[in-house]
Amino acid sequence: MSESIKKLSYFGGKIVPESEANINIKTHALQYGTTVFGGIRGYYDSATDNVYVFRILDHYKRLVNSTRIMQLKFDKSPEQLRDITLELLKASGYRQNVYLRPFVYTSALQLSPRFHDVATDLAIYVLELDDYLDTKRGLTTMVSSWRRFDDTVIPTLSKVSGGYVNSALAKSEAVQNGFDEAIFLDGRGFVSEGSAENIFLVRDGKIITPSIASSLLEGITRRSVLQIAKDFGYEVIERDVTRSELYISDEIFFSGTGVQIAWVSEVDRRTIGTGKIGPVTQKLQSTFFELVKGKIPEYKHWLTPVY
């Protein structure tokens, strides 16, 4: 890390040194997982010496929607959250790829698991982050024995931290069995998503992805992939996907803020397609990595420069 970078966070209504951004052991959210959060990436471009934050307002609109779904008291707009975030990044001085974790949490020091009538607070921290999963090699995956929870259990359109126990169980099961990642089925037995990623299949030149009825999180990167694919003229289909379709797909890839666009080489020990990155995935992935650094004018409206 460069000596010019200051490790700062947004905590308690102001920007403070990261070492001072600490919560009390009795904090409500720590006990009950009553937190909603987001994940946002900023990409550094050396040619312009700038960091571009990807779809920041879309991420913050989803965070605000999450607070509404979960009945959290919160009065900041997406625009206010954007401005706080840009101020934090400027004060920190990052000139590399970064990952932002904003979250709204129940900050009261009290018992009783609930969302209503509990004081909340906003916090944001920053990490240096390049690849979360290796986007250059194919990922090995397994269909998890754990099912993705459905919207009648925990709201699936809210990124609520307590629900990620489900993801942690699936991820650990996959890694401990020698795989890189897990694939969830929903409560009906249809494909839902990865442990923290949306999933896409390519069959006969068509791009297929589960619909939001399959208990998945409506990802911002997923939304971007759908738009880019349509701009290229691909037929994109959102529908129920059966487990066996995974095995006979020509290509499979994940999308998400963390994973970006990463291709899958195996599902349940079965080779997908040729076992190499497919042409559709390659085209979408290379386009994505160009556009997030401001190299494609048509998508510059998705980027917010820090400096």
Side-chain angles (χ1 to χ4, degrees):
M1 184 179 71
S2 170
E3 291 182 2
S4 63
I5 292 173
K6 298 176 182 177
K7 299 295 285 183
L8 303 173
S9 298
Y10 183 85
F11 184 77
K14 58 185 178 181
I15 294 173
V16 300
E18 186 181 82
S19 60
E20 296 177 14
N22 301 302
I23 63 170
N24 189 294
I25 194 172
K26 293 186 287 185
T27 300
H28 190 272
L30 180 61
Q31 301 175 75
Y32 301 116
T34 41
T35 300
V36 296
F37 69 96
I40 306 172
R41 272 191 184 264
Y43 291 88
Y44 177 67
D45 176 49
S46 58
T48 57
D49 192 28
N50 214 331
V51 175
Y52 296 98
V53 185
F54 184 63
R55 302 195 73 160
I56 188 169
L57 279 179
D58 292 305
H59 279 284
Y60 278 133
K61 286 175 185 175
R62 186 175 65 185
L63 183 68
V64 170
N65 284 340
S66 289
T67 66
R68 291 173 179 165
I69 291 170
M70 307 310 294
Q71 292 187 283
L72 287 168
K73 293 180 179 179
F74 192 65
D75 60 1
K76 285 186 169 54
S77 68
E79 291 77 14
Q80 289 173 309
L81 294 168
R82 173 200 60 199
D83 294 345
I84 290 168
T85 301
L86 294 177
E87 184 183 358
L88 172 62
L89 287 171
K90 287 175 185 175
S92 299
Y94 284 101
R95 277 182 162 80
Q96 55 252 84
N97 294 341
V98 295
Y99 179 88
L100 294 144
R101 171 54 56 85
F103 56 100
V104 180
Y105 66 102
T106 52
S107 54
L109 309 182
Q110 63 188 65
L111 296 174
S112 179
R114 67 179 190 274
F115 283 95
H116 72 285
D117 295 334
V118 183
T120 67
D121 211 338
L122 166 71
I124 307 171
Y125 65 81
V126 189
L127 299 173
E128 297 170 43
L129 183 67
D130 292 316
D131 282 349
Y132 167 71
L133 290 175
D134 193 340
T135 59
K136 296 180 180 65
R137 68 170 180 84
L139 301 176
T140 60
T141 66
M142 63 169 283
V143 174
S144 181
S145 66
W146 298 96
R147 293 293 178 97
R148 168 74 171 162
F149 59 80
D150 66 53
D151 200 54
T152 62
V153 177
I154 296 173
T156 55
L157 296 185
S158 176
K159 279 180 72 75
V160 58
S161 62
Y164 278 76
V165 169
N166 187 219
S167 296
L169 287 166
K171 179 75 172 186
S172 288
E173 178 188 45
V175 172
Q176 289 170 343
N177 280 282
F179 299 91
D180 296 312
E181 188 52 273
I183 296 174
F184 274 123
L185 303 182
D186 67 18
R188 305 168 301 154
F190 291 105
V191 175
S192 178
E193 60 180 18
S195 72
E197 313 89 7
N198 293 123
I199 190 169
F200 290 81
L201 290 66
V202 180
R203 293 191 66 192
D204 301 321
K206 299 175 183 177
I207 298 174
I208 302 164
T209 193
S211 71
I212 61 171
S214 294
S215 300
L216 53 88
L217 178 72
E218 198 172 20
I220 306 299
T221 309
R222 174 184 182 273
R223 191 187 308 170
S224 305
V225 169
L226 291 173
Q227 185 60 57
I228 297 164
K230 290 173 183 176
D231 291 344
F232 276 131
Y234 290 113
E235 183 177 352
V236 179
I237 304 167
E238 295 182 64
R239 62 163 173 81
D240 288 338
V241 175
T242 63
R243 177 176 181 167
S244 58
E245 280 187 273
L246 296 171
Y247 306 145
I248 59 173
S249 294
D250 301 316
E251 305 174 38
I252 296 176
F253 63 91
F254 288 126
S255 76
T257 298
V259 75
Q260 303 167 107
I261 296 178
W263 64 285
V264 173
S265 61
E266 288 183 15
V267 180
D268 292 340
R269 310 288 184 191
R270 294 162 174 84
T271 300
I272 302 305
T274 63
K276 299 178 180 178
I277 188 169
V280 176
T281 305
Q282 178 73 71
K283 189 171 186 177
L284 293 172
Q285 187 191 69
S286 61
T287 300
F288 181 80
F289 284 129
E290 285 288 300
L291 74 86
V292 295
K293 293 191 175 183
K295 306 299 185 184
I296 305 178
E298 294 85 347
Y299 299 105
K300 274 200 167 182
H301 63 286
W302 284 348
L303 306 178
T304 302
V306 173
Y307 305 106

